[in-house]
Amino acid sequence: MEDTLLHFLSNIKPSPLPYPKAHSFPLSHHDYCPALSCPRTLHFPTLSSKTNTASLPPKPFKTPETPSISSHHTPPPPQSQPHEPPNTEFQEKILYLDSIGLDIFSLINHDRPFILSASLSNIKSIIDLLTSMNFTPQEFRRIISMCPEILTSTPSTVTPVITFLLREARVNGSDLKHVINRRPRLLVSSVKYCLRPTLYFLQSIGLEEVKRHTYLLSCSVEKKLLPRIQYFEKIGFAYKDAVSMFRRFPQLFNYSIKNNIEPKLNYFVVEMGRDLKELKEFPQYFSFSLENRIKPRHQCCVEKGLCFPLHTLLKTSQEEFMSRIDVCCNSSVPLRSSPLYSVNCDVDSSTNTE
């Protein structure tokens, strides 16, 4: 609208009516009026394209300027252009990962930092290395999904790990794929600061054939292995007995103290009322589900007045367990020396006799 008004005003011809000039109106003291004391009212210029009347908009509006409101939406300055090559490289990496069948949406959403920090050449070299080890596309897709940090590694960092597994951990060449598939994090673990110290620790506690438990090699001795042994010492086990449990069942090292060991131990002592010595003989107790296996079977035995050995209570299949329950309930009362003996048996037998 301002442009239209300016155009209209610029086409107006000067008025033929003669306006008196400023000097033709000498002001006397009796003609002085305060309202007309402002300089803009002392002159009455003719309407022309060169001069502006009081009704004309200010001069700044004549020159087209970009409003300040839209200044934030202007295109980025030329100096921001150097950021485009990294974006192009990122797209190339995504296209390559998609071409080998990886879930690029999951990688972008959860593992974007690893993709950004890894160069395309390194990613291709790692994939080529895994392929040379006869990993199938499905296998290295699983490996990368479990341990995306592998994308940031290089063959020069992975090769020492493979050498360590074959020479020091005594892993058979035919088992190498299985070892890596089970614990991909081995490939990004430091031989000097992690793998070798853990190997020496496991050997020091008497764990034989560490090659069967290579999933433990990527665990920290100070942060994971020792704290679990110390926990069993705190609840009453001697050090040698605690170590004996881990030798019998090395998977115990991988169980969470707070979410697994502690609640199951509490139920074992408080609800089941059993002796800790049974755990020394059967540490596999901690591998069974508390809600789906331990509690239902214990409650079933309590209802029937039975008490099975811990391994019999948990290791048998559901059919075999119910068969044992049926046999015990339909047979004579077990002798006191029998492992199936329970104090409730005497109560039940005396009740039946009466």
Side-chain angles (χ1 to χ4, degrees), residues 126 130 143-144 147-154 158 184-185 187-188:
I126 286 297
L130 294 177
I143 289 173
I144 294 176
C147 185
E149 296 92 323
I150 292 176
L151 294 176
T152 63
S153 59
T154 62
V158 173
R185 188 162 296 278
L187 294 178
V188 295

Side-chain angles (χ1 to χ4, degrees), residues 265-274:
L265 182 64
N266 182 68
Y267 187 83
F268 180 86
V269 175
V270 178
E271 299 295 333
M272 301 176 71
R274 290 178 176 262

Side-chain angles (χ1 to χ4, degrees), residues 116-168:
L116 290 174
S117 60
S119 66
L120 181 59
S121 59
N122 281 347
I123 293 177
K124 289 183 177 180
S125 62
I126 286 297
I127 298 300
D128 292 341
L129 178 62
L130 294 177
T131 304
S132 67
M133 297 171 62
N134 296 323
F135 283 96
T136 64
Q138 293 80 8
E139 287 174 333
F140 65 70
R141 282 198 294 266
R142 176 180 175 274
I143 289 173
I144 294 176
S145 65
M146 292 179 64
C147 185
E149 296 92 323
I150 292 176
L151 294 176
T152 63
S153 59
T154 62
S156 61
T157 60
V158 173
T159 302
V161 174
I162 297 175
T163 303
F164 168 84
L165 293 174
L166 295 174
R167 294 183 180 179
E168 298 186 46

Side-chain angles (χ1 to χ4, degrees), residues 14-159:
S15 175
L17 296 177
Y19 283 89
K21 295 184 179 179
H23 63 270
S24 64
F25 284 88
L27 295 177
S28 61
H29 67 276
H30 58 81
D31 294 328
Y32 177 76
C33 179
L36 301 176
S37 61
C38 182
R40 60 189 174 90
T41 62
L42 297 178
H43 302 279
F44 299 90
T46 59
L47 293 175
S48 64
S49 59
K50 297 182 180 180
T51 59
N52 294 330
T53 63
S55 61
L56 292 178
K59 287 184 178 181
F61 289 95
K62 289 184 176 182
T63 57
E65 295 182 358
T66 304
S68 59
I69 299 178
S70 61
S71 60
H72 299 288
H73 302 284
T74 56
Q79 55 267 24
S80 64
Q81 297 303 321
H83 291 286
E84 291 184 1
N87 293 334
T88 303
E89 183 181 358
F90 179 78
Q91 293 174 359
E92 291 178 357
K93 288 186 282 189
I94 290 299
L95 291 175
Y96 175 73
L97 295 174
D98 180 59
S99 68
I100 61 178
L102 293 180
D103 186 356
I104 58 173
F105 295 104
S106 177
L107 289 173
I108 293 175
N109 292 332
H110 302 99
D111 307 309
R112 188 182 183 93
F114 300 118
I115 302 177
L116 290 174
S117 60
S119 66
L120 181 59
S121 59
N122 281 347
I123 293 177
K124 289 183 177 180
S125 62
I126 286 297
I127 298 300
D128 292 341
L129 178 62
L130 294 177
T131 304
S132 67
M133 297 171 62
N134 296 323
F135 283 96
T136 64
Q138 293 80 8
E139 287 174 333
F140 65 70
R141 282 198 294 266
R142 176 180 175 274
I143 289 173
I144 294 176
S145 65
M146 292 179 64
C147 185
E149 296 92 323
I150 292 176
L151 294 176
T152 63
S153 59
T154 62
S156 61
T157 60
V158 173
T159 302

